[in-house]
Amino acid sequence: MIEMIEDAPANVIAFKAVGELEAHDYRTVLKPAIDSAIDSGEKVRCVYVMGPEFAGCSAGAAWEDAEMGMAHMTSWHRCAVVTDTEWVRHLVKAFGWMMVGHLKLFSVAELPAAMSWASEG
């Protein structure tokens, strides 16, 4: 499931992945929050945490993630991916260049720095 992180800076939407992610997690939590941010007229500033509670994602969730990123390609300003999971870090490094906005990896211990970085600029 995807949970909202409520204590993020006011201009940042923040999420935490818990357990195995399914397609409906993207459709019911992540996509509406990002659509709302886009509708406000601002570029999206996002922090996405995949910490020790993250157990992976289904093929449908991976598809929703890719589709959402491509659908809103020019809407991103800053996205911080917070994880110590090596395969996630490798994917971000391999495909992060496709993102129009700024993308930065942080370790789980650096979550406060990720929040700060996402809210800047």
Side-chain angles (χ1 to χ4, degrees), residues 10-25:
N11 64 341
V12 174
I13 52 175
F15 308 93
K16 178 180 181 180
V18 177
E20 184 173 11
L21 302 184
E22 300 290 339
H24 74 274
D25 296 318

Side-chain angles (χ1 to χ4, degrees), residues 74-116:
T74 61
S75 299
W76 300 96
H77 181 62
R78 288 187 173 211
C79 183
V81 177
V82 180
T83 189
D84 294 330
T85 305
E86 282 303 313
W87 68 265
V88 174
R89 295 180 74 80
H90 288 297
L91 284 176
V92 170
K93 289 175 185 175
F95 296 104
W97 64 270
M98 296 170 57
M99 187 170 186
V100 173
H102 304 280
L103 176 69
K104 189 170 180 180
L105 274 167
F106 292 86
S107 70
V108 172
E110 297 174 307
L111 177 57
M115 293 283 193
S116 178

